[in-house]
């Protein structure tokens, strides 16, 4: 009799059989929480924008989390930027069931405050870049999860509109409770207080999936472009022949 496949272990929306990519990790405490719950992290890729050296400077507590992740088989990558992660030499070869981005933030821009339109525009640019890259990295039925504060001024980022522009639609919006993820520390990530946490209130996890009509449109456009290119090449060949 063949061996039974192991039963999936769950932690909130995520289970040990999902192929999971985590981006923009602070001290890797969220990834460590999932790995601990699953008992293994071979199904996970956890990434940070910073180099490993800079990460340890910003978040001293990251060292223990990184050791835990590696001991459980997680692939950890540093220097991963959401703007072009779909072209990353390792990630470009992979597809995921879920891509997680917790509390995306483009940084602090003194003397401007979070409700300044210039700052909001920078944050929106970051999130839109994430959606565009993530869409290319999801399996057909995959989801991009963004956990985000839903009060002002963060609500003005208009996540649903940004996602729609990249061919993703909101599938579900669920309340986020930090207590559901033991050990998770929501670090600021940048500035002089980068290793401190920030207030969490009115937070939700927004789950986006690929808009099927968008996929069909992209396929159709791709086919039409190929036909146009072929026609132009043929026309060029004819012109070259006539000139001989």
């Amino acid at each position: 009799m063949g061996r039974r496949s192991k039963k999936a272990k769950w932690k909130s929306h995520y289970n040990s059989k999902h192929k999971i990519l985590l981006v923009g990790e602070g001290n890797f405490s969220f990834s460590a929480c999932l790995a601990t719950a699953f008992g293994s992290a071979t199904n996970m890729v956890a990434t940070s924008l910073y180099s490993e050296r800079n990460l340890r400077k910003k978040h001293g507590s990251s060292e223990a989390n990184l050791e835990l992740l590696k001991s459980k088989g997680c692939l950890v990558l540093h220097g991963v930027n959401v703007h072009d992660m779909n072209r990353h030499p390792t990630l470009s070869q992979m597809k995921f069931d879920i891509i997680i981005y917790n509390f995306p933030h483009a940084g602090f821009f003194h003397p401007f405050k979070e409700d300044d339109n210039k700052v909001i525009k920078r944050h929106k640019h970051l999130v839109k870049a994430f959606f565009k890259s993530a869409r290319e990295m999801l399996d057909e039925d995959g989801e991009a999860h963004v956990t985000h504060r839903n009060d002002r001024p963060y609500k003005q980022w208009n996540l649903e509109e940004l996602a729609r522009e990249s061919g993703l639609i909101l599938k579900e919006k669920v309340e986020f409770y930090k207590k559901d993820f033991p050990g998770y520390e929501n670090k600021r990530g940048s500035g002089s207080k980068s290793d401190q946490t920030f207030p969490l209130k009115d937070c939700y996890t927004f789950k986006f999936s690929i808009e099927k009509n968008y996929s069909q449109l992209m396929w159709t456009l791709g086919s039409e472009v190929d036909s146009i290119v072929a026609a132009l090449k043929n026309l060029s060949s004819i012109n070259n022949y006539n000139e001989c």
Side-chain angles (χ1 to χ4, degrees):
M1 186 175 178
R3 293 177 61 187
R4 292 184 179 181
S5 60
K6 291 184 178 180
K7 186 177 181 181
K9 296 182 179 179
W10 285 84
K11 171 52 68 176
S12 189
H13 326 289
Y14 314 112
N15 75 52
S16 55
K17 292 192 175 182
H18 286 144
K19 292 175 291 182
I20 301 173
L21 170 65
L22 301 101
V23 302
E25 282 287 83
N27 68 344
F28 285 85
S29 55
F30 193 85
S31 298
C33 170
L34 295 186
T36 300
F38 298 158
S40 169
T42 55
N43 62 314
M44 295 166 48
V45 180
T47 72
S48 167
L49 172 63
Y50 305 107
S51 67
E52 185 170 359
R53 181 179 179 182
N54 287 338
L55 179 75
R56 293 178 188 276
K57 289 181 179 179
K58 285 177 174 291
H59 305 300
S61 56
S62 65
E63 189 166 355
N65 293 326
L66 289 171
E67 288 179 3
L68 182 147
L69 288 169
K70 291 175 181 178
S71 71
K72 293 188 178 296
C74 181
L75 174 59
V76 176
L77 300 174
H78 299 281
V80 175
N81 193 318
V82 299
H83 286 265
D84 58 5
M85 62 183 183
N86 58 314
R87 297 193 298 274
H88 186 278
T90 300
L91 296 176
S92 62
Q93 308 301 316
M94 307 172 78
K95 292 287 185 179
F96 298 93
D97 298 312
I98 300 176
I99 301 178
I100 302 171
Y101 197 177
N102 289 325
F103 302 104
H105 197 274
F108 299 97
F109 306 96
H110 183 76
F112 302 108
K113 296 184 178 180
E114 288 289 78
D115 59 356
D116 188 281
N117 286 334
K118 292 180 180 178
V119 175
I120 292 173
K121 186 176 181 180
R122 284 177 178 262
H123 293 319
K124 292 176 70 173
H125 179 69
L126 171 69
V127 177
K128 184 175 180 178
F130 163 73
F131 283 136
K132 185 177 180 181
S133 294
R135 196 209 164 280
E136 301 301 319
M137 303 169 71
L138 289 171
D139 276 331
E140 184 178 353
D141 296 318
E143 297 177 358
H145 291 191
V146 178
T147 300
H148 185 58
R149 281 178 55 168
N150 203 42
D151 56 336
R152 292 180 65 87
Y154 308 100
K155 192 172 185 177
Q156 293 173 254
W157 297 13
N158 297 320
L159 295 190
E160 293 177 54
E161 179 183 335
L162 297 175
R164 213 162 30 240
E165 292 173 359
S166 296
L168 298 170
I169 56 173
L170 184 66
K171 181 178 180 180
E172 188 179 15
K173 173 184 169 184
V174 297
E175 289 187 88
F176 174 86
Y177 296 106
K178 184 176 176 179
K179 63 180 177 60
D180 293 338
F181 299 93
Y184 173 50
E185 299 173 308
N186 52 302
K187 298 292 187 178
R188 289 182 178 272
S190 63
S192 59
K193 300 179 180 179
S194 61
D195 204 34
Q196 296 182 15
T197 59
F198 53 88
L200 294 182
K201 55 182 179 179
D202 197 22
C203 297
Y204 291 83
T205 296
F206 295 75
K207 303 179 182 181
F208 298 95
S209 59
I210 297 174
E211 214 290 309
K212 303 304 181 185
N213 292 334
Y214 182 89
S215 297
Q216 181 60 39
L217 175 62
M218 290 298 101
W219 183 87
T220 302
L221 288 175
S223 298
E224 290 178 354
V225 169
D226 290 342
S227 298
I228 292 172
V229 170
L232 289 173
K233 287 182 178 179
N234 186 49
L235 180 61
S236 177
S237 298
I238 293 175
N239 288 337
N240 290 336
Y241 177 78
N242 290 335
E243 290 174 359
C244 293

